Amino acid sequence: MAEEPGLSDQYPTASPWPLFVALGLALSEIGVFVGLFPVAVFGLILFGGSIAGILTESGYVERPWPTLLGVGVVLIILAAAFALWQVPVADIALSNVGTGPLFTRLVAVAAAGAVMIAMGGVASVMEQTAA
Amino acid sequence: MVAGDIVLTGLMAVLLVGVAALLTRVENWRSYTPLAGGGAVTGDETAVINREKPAGIIRWLTTVDHKDIGLLYGVYAVIAFAVGGIMAMLIRLQLVTPAGAILSNNAYNSILTSHGITMLFLFGTPIIAAFANYFIPLLIGADDMAFPRINAIAFWLLPPAALLIWAGFFLAPVTDNMIEPARTAWTMYTPLSVEQANPGVDLMLLGLHLSGVAATMGAINFIATIFTERNEEVNWANLDIFSWTILTQSALILFAFPLLGSAIVMLLLDRNLQTTFFAVEGGGPLLWQHLFWFFGHPEVYILVLPPMGLVSLILPKFSGRKLFGFKFVVYSTLAIGVLSFGVWAHHMFSTGMDPRLRASFMAVSLAIAIPSAVKTFNWITTMWNGRLRLTTPMLFCIGFVSNFIIGGVTGVFLASIPVDLILHDTYYVVGHFHYIVMGAIGFAAFAGIYYWFPIFTGRMYQRTLGKAHFWFSMVGTNITFFAMLALGYLGMPRRYATYQFDGAIAPLTQVSTFHQAATVGALILFIGQLFFVWNIVQSWLEGPKVEDGDPWNLERDGMLDREFQWFEEQLEADSPEKDPSLLADGGQEEQNDS
Ligand code: HEM
Ligand SMILES: [Cu+2]
């Protein structure tokens, strides 16, 4: 171990991630169901980020960034599928954000997905170029 | 709205940046040593690791140790019990006079709803998880749970769940009553629960949903742990009775809670996105009742099986005899687990369902009383001719058996259709299930807390206070809930904030008398709980240190289980000049100087 060990390396029975996975899930649910756009976006980012973190920490994956990217893709696919299934095509327009209750929520989910893809992508590239 | 959104966005952004900053401070993402399989214990102690956990508050926020998580569950559940108990006291005070003494109708309905949900989901399930987390790994000789991190996630979902379930109470004053506490009762029957426009209902449903996710994660973890983490000496033939009940309970959770979660999501969609799952033109309002009780009846066994396991584990210890008919106690647990999915419609006898269907549900409901009775007889025969030691945990076990008999017998009466048609939605039902949820489940939880108090805290509780707690609880419970059975026979309907219906529904004089008796009983019960809190807090802080790994003298009867053997090892390791690396439970402060 070349560098300073992190908390969960230092202590075998500690991990900072579970708390944030739970908080992220709670905020996502509130945001999506109550229809609070910012809470949904940030909650989902926190949730996806913590999933990436906890999987990396426990050694299921090597690096967090591809996972983050993957969660983002899943969210976008989900949002797109629901939109195609439940929202009339004519209503799928940026100007409709904030009016259609379902559409606005789906946009929030997709936005969170997009942010995660961007974060995961940029970080992956930076890491590979740095190394 | 726009201003609100901007504020929210800012708040969320600050939160996210804060979280990220905190995480980069405590975690070094390049340093991870892989430990696939999710196990918490690294095999090679190469690095500087000689302590198990960080110190102070960070320890509790980041712990994935099953014992810490068990304690967190326990503290959480006791706090929820206090909140739910204060709500219960408000209900009882309201009902001392027919016109209602202290609350408006709306406030009464809010508090009634929250009381039920708090007690079942925030006290009942978590207090069981507390014991299970702490002791299942010790009893089966495992290092920890199969998935320690999932274990921690499941716990941390609960505080947000509680805040959401209570959200209406906090938000009503600041939002000018735009968001109010839910007034749906714990059963959330449609169409009422769809039509209440109040967003507090949505928040409560989300809280319930989160608590369900938590319970399901916990259940998966217990099943995996009991199947895969037992040490070589523990097989299915000698698995202890508490683990059996937790295994069965987890299976029930696995089938019941996801269903509740889906039903809640459907209800949320009906409320917010104009779906018609429970609308008359869609699935119909009765669909909710079927889905809810398909979850709801197993839920009552989810809550009662592990307490039965606790009593089956503890009662023999103070009877000086092994549990009578161990095998049959296990079989009856499994039988109850299976049958509990076939009785749900006994909650719906009066809804006008097909009489043939109703009769079959009556038959299964009567049948489920048989395995319950098997257990009861086994507990009694275990004590028969035994060498009884009336310690506080034993008193609570005996109280459990006594209260469970009354609760169970009243249930059998309700399972009979003609009787139920008269007693449905009266206080008789309230009396029936409180004999079980308070008189049995509550009592078993107390028995567990006292029995294992030395392990939790390394100290002994104060025996006299413990006994006072028991007697106040026993007398209070029986006065309160027996009065409710009588109220039900008189015809007093449940869920009423006032009862000025002289003669029309029930005779007012007798009804008021029994309501007052129930309130007096509740006060006695309440005083008993003050003894409990005082005893626990004071003994935890300054009770006498336990020196002996066998505080209950179980060795003599050959009944020292694994958890107390583990405790003995801890005590030995704790004493100086022994190897400090054996000590698994300390934070860093305690160990830095050793
Ligand atoms: C001996 C077996 C039991 C039988 C035959 C039985 C039967 C019944 C019946 C028929 C009802 C419906 C009464 C009505 O609403 O008209 C009922 C209600 C209830 N029972 Fe039991 N019961 C038994 C054991 C239990 C246990 C072990 C628990 C709790 C752990 C429990 C908790 C409840 C609850 C919470 C309700 C009321 C639900 C509500 O309407 O809010 N019962 N029981
Ligand atoms: Cu039932």
Side-chain angles (χ1 to χ4, degrees):
Chain A
M1 252 177 259
E3 285 142 89
E4 278 279 281
L7 182 82
S8 45
D9 302 291
Q10 216 174 334
Y11 306 104
T13 55
S15 164
W17 297 105
L19 175 63
F20 295 115
V21 176
L23 189 65
L25 180 60
L27 288 176
S28 318
E29 282 205 355
I30 299 170
V32 173
F33 275 105
V34 183
L36 301 169
F37 196 97
V39 180
V41 174
F42 285 104
L44 284 167
I45 296 175
L46 181 57
F47 184 55
S50 314
I51 297 267
I54 202 165
L55 288 182
T56 316
E57 180 203 48
S58 42
Y60 285 108
V61 296
E62 200 129 302
R63 312 293 316 136
W65 311 119
T67 313
L68 190 60
L69 206 151
V71 176
V73 171
V74 170
L75 287 183
I76 291 206
I77 293 176
L78 272 181
F82 262 96
L84 289 177
W85 175 36
Q86 285 288 335
V87 184
V89 183
D91 289 353
I92 302 184
L94 215 52
S95 56
N96 266 348
V97 176
T99 52
L102 178 61
F103 184 61
T104 311
R105 288 169 163 91
L106 293 176
V107 171
V109 174
V115 174
M116 281 184 235
I117 292 179
M119 281 165 51
V122 170
S124 286
V125 171
M126 273 173 46
E127 215 174 47
Q128 276 167 24
T129 43
Chain B
M1 207 56 227
V2 177
D5 266 359
I6 294 175
V7 171
L8 259 185
T9 314
L11 247 156
M12 287 292 124
V14 169
L15 182 75
L16 202 62
V17 171
V19 168
L22 193 88
L23 280 172
T24 29
R25 271 199 57 172
V26 300
E27 275 301 72
N28 186 326
W29 299 357
R30 288 186 168 279
S31 68
Y32 285 139
T33 34
L35 37 109
V41 186
T42 40
D44 55 322
E45 241 87 310
T46 43
V48 280
I49 309 166
N50 45 21
R51 323 174 211 108
E52 292 271 323
K53 298 163 196 166
I57 184 93
I58 299 283
R59 163 184 176 178
W60 294 103
L61 293 176
T62 61
T63 182
V64 296
D65 178 334
H66 69 99
K67 296 187 283 333
D68 287 351
I69 294 176
L71 283 179
L72 286 171
Y73 267 114
V75 170
Y76 177 94
V78 170
I79 292 173
F81 187 61
V83 173
I86 289 167
M87 288 172 173
M89 288 315 293
L90 292 175
I91 294 173
R92 283 320 319 164
L93 289 177
Q94 163 79 355
L95 296 174
V96 281
T97 61
I102 51 170
L103 302 166
S104 70
N105 290 357
N106 272 347
Y108 179 87
N109 291 343
S110 309
I111 287 172
L112 180 84
T113 303
S114 275
H115 163 72
I117 292 181
T118 301
M119 286 305 200
L120 293 174
F121 295 94
L122 306 180
F123 163 67
T125 321
I127 193 75
I128 293 168
F131 292 121
N133 264 295
Y134 208 109
F135 292 108
I136 293 290
L138 296 181
L139 285 168
I140 66 172
D143 292 335
D144 203 309
M145 298 285 288
F147 308 112
R149 286 178 183 72
I150 291 185
N151 202 19
I153 296 175
F155 172 76
W156 287 111
L157 284 171
L158 287 178
L163 289 179
L164 285 169
I165 286 169
W166 300 329
F169 290 103
F170 310 127
L171 294 177
V174 293
T175 58
D176 215 12
N177 287 339
M178 209 184 70
I179 304 178
E180 294 185 291
R183 290 192 282 271
T184 56
W186 84 281
T187 49
M188 302 168 283
Y189 275 10
T190 55
L192 180 71
S193 55
V194 175
E195 283 162 7
Q196 284 188 3
N198 164 23
V201 179
D202 296 308
L203 297 178
M204 178 204 65
L205 290 171
L206 286 170
L208 264 184
H209 189 256
L210 286 178
S211 84
V213 173
T216 311
M217 292 170 94
I220 293 171
N221 215 342
F222 282 118
I223 293 175
T225 306
I226 295 175
F227 267 92
T228 63
E229 304 284 311
R230 281 171 291 140
N231 82 7
E232 316 82 61
E233 291 159 34
V234 182
N235 54 35
W236 292 114
N238 64 15
L239 186 66
D240 67 282
I241 187 67
F242 182 56
S243 301
W244 272 112
T245 55
I246 288 291
L247 187 63
T248 314
Q249 181 223 27
S250 300
L252 294 186
I253 289 181
L254 207 55
F255 288 105
F257 266 92
L259 184 119
L260 174 72
S262 322
I264 287 178
V265 169
M266 287 153 77
L267 188 54
L268 278 166
L269 293 177
D270 269 14
R271 289 176 52 83
N272 292 298
L273 293 170
Q274 286 74 49
T275 54
T276 55
F277 290 113
F278 304 118
V280 179
E281 63 280 16
L286 263 195
L287 176 62
W288 171 265
Q289 293 195 23
H290 279 295
L291 293 182
F292 182 83
W293 287 116
F294 188 84
F295 149 80
H297 189 85
E299 163 72 359
V300 307
Y301 284 99
I302 287 169
L303 289 172
V304 86
L305 284 177
M308 287 170 160
L310 283 178
V311 170
S312 307
L313 188 85
I314 298 171
L315 186 127
K317 304 288 189 293
F318 299 104
S319 306
R321 301 181 61 193
K322 294 242 150 54
L323 181 61
F324 183 88
F326 182 95
K327 262 193 203 161
F328 288 91
V329 180
V330 173
Y331 295 154
S332 63
T333 303
L334 300 174
I336 289 177
V338 173
L339 287 178
S340 69
F341 281 100
V343 300
W344 80 88
H346 66 211
H347 297 272
M348 301 164 62
F349 282 156
S350 60
T351 56
M353 48 190 295
D354 187 320
R356 286 161 298 181
L357 213 55
R358 216 165 51 174
S360 63
F361 277 103
M362 167 165 121
V364 186
S365 302
L366 293 173
I368 206 169
I370 296 169
S372 312
V374 167
K375 285 172 181 292
T376 309
F377 288 126
N378 279 301
W379 293 320
I380 295 173
T381 26
T382 303
M383 289 193 285
W384 195 267
N385 271 340
R387 182 170 28 77
L388 302 193
R389 288 183 286 156
L390 295 181
T391 59
T392 308
M394 181 62 168
L395 287 173
F396 274 106
C397 286
I398 298 173
F400 173 104
V401 176
S402 149
N403 293 334
F404 182 73
I405 291 174
I406 303 182
V409 169
T410 50
V412 176
F413 280 90
L414 285 174
S416 151
I417 299 168
V419 180
D420 183 69
L421 290 181
I422 293 176
L423 292 176
H424 176 65
D425 261 344
T426 68
Y427 262 77
Y428 184 88
V429 176
V430 184
H432 152 65
F433 69 75
H434 277 91
Y435 258 103
I436 295 182
V437 290
M438 179 62 220
I441 297 171
F443 275 42
F446 293 134
I449 291 174
Y450 286 112
Y451 179 58
W452 282 317
F453 194 78
I455 296 192
F456 293 133
T457 64
R459 295 171 189 270
M460 201 32 143
Y461 63 83
Q462 298 160 64
R463 289 177 174 81
T464 316
L465 284 178
K467 295 207 165 131
H469 176 210
F470 168 75
W471 284 110
F472 275 78
S473 301
M474 188 67 190
V475 172
T477 299
N478 278 281
I479 294 181
T480 308
F481 302 122
F482 203 84
M484 289 190 186
L485 294 177
L487 279 169
Y489 281 132
L490 289 170
M492 171 76 203
R494 64 190 283 203
R495 296 178 174 147
Y496 272 41
T498 58
Y499 49 97
Q500 295 159 293
F501 37 58
D502 192 20
I505 297 180
L508 186 60
T509 349
Q510 284 90 326
V511 165
S512 341
T513 309
F514 279 112
H515 267 306
Q516 283 154 7
T519 302
V520 170
L523 281 168
I524 297 175
L525 192 51
F526 184 75
I527 295 170
Q529 306 323 301
L530 297 180
F531 288 120
F532 169 65
V533 173
W534 175 259
N535 194 358
I536 294 303
V537 172
Q538 202 200 21
S539 309
W540 198 325
L541 295 176
E542 46 197 50
K545 282 234 159 71
V546 175
E547 313 278 337
D548 178 2
D550 181 14
W552 300 118
N553 227 338
L554 303 175
E555 188 97 65
R556 176 178 50 174
D557 300 315
M559 291 207 277
L560 197 66
D561 286 340
R562 266 199 187 68
E563 88 279 23
F564 274 109
Q565 291 168 11
W566 170 87
F567 180 57
E568 187 127 47
E569 285 161 25
Q570 296 302 300
L571 284 181
E572 275 166 26
D574 234 350
S575 58
E577 94 263 357
K578 293 268 170 55
D579 178 6
S581 70
L582 276 178
L583 186 70
D585 195 31
Q588 81 187 13
E589 310 125 302
E590 293 97 1
Q591 283 173 64
N592 259 346
D593 42 7
S594 67

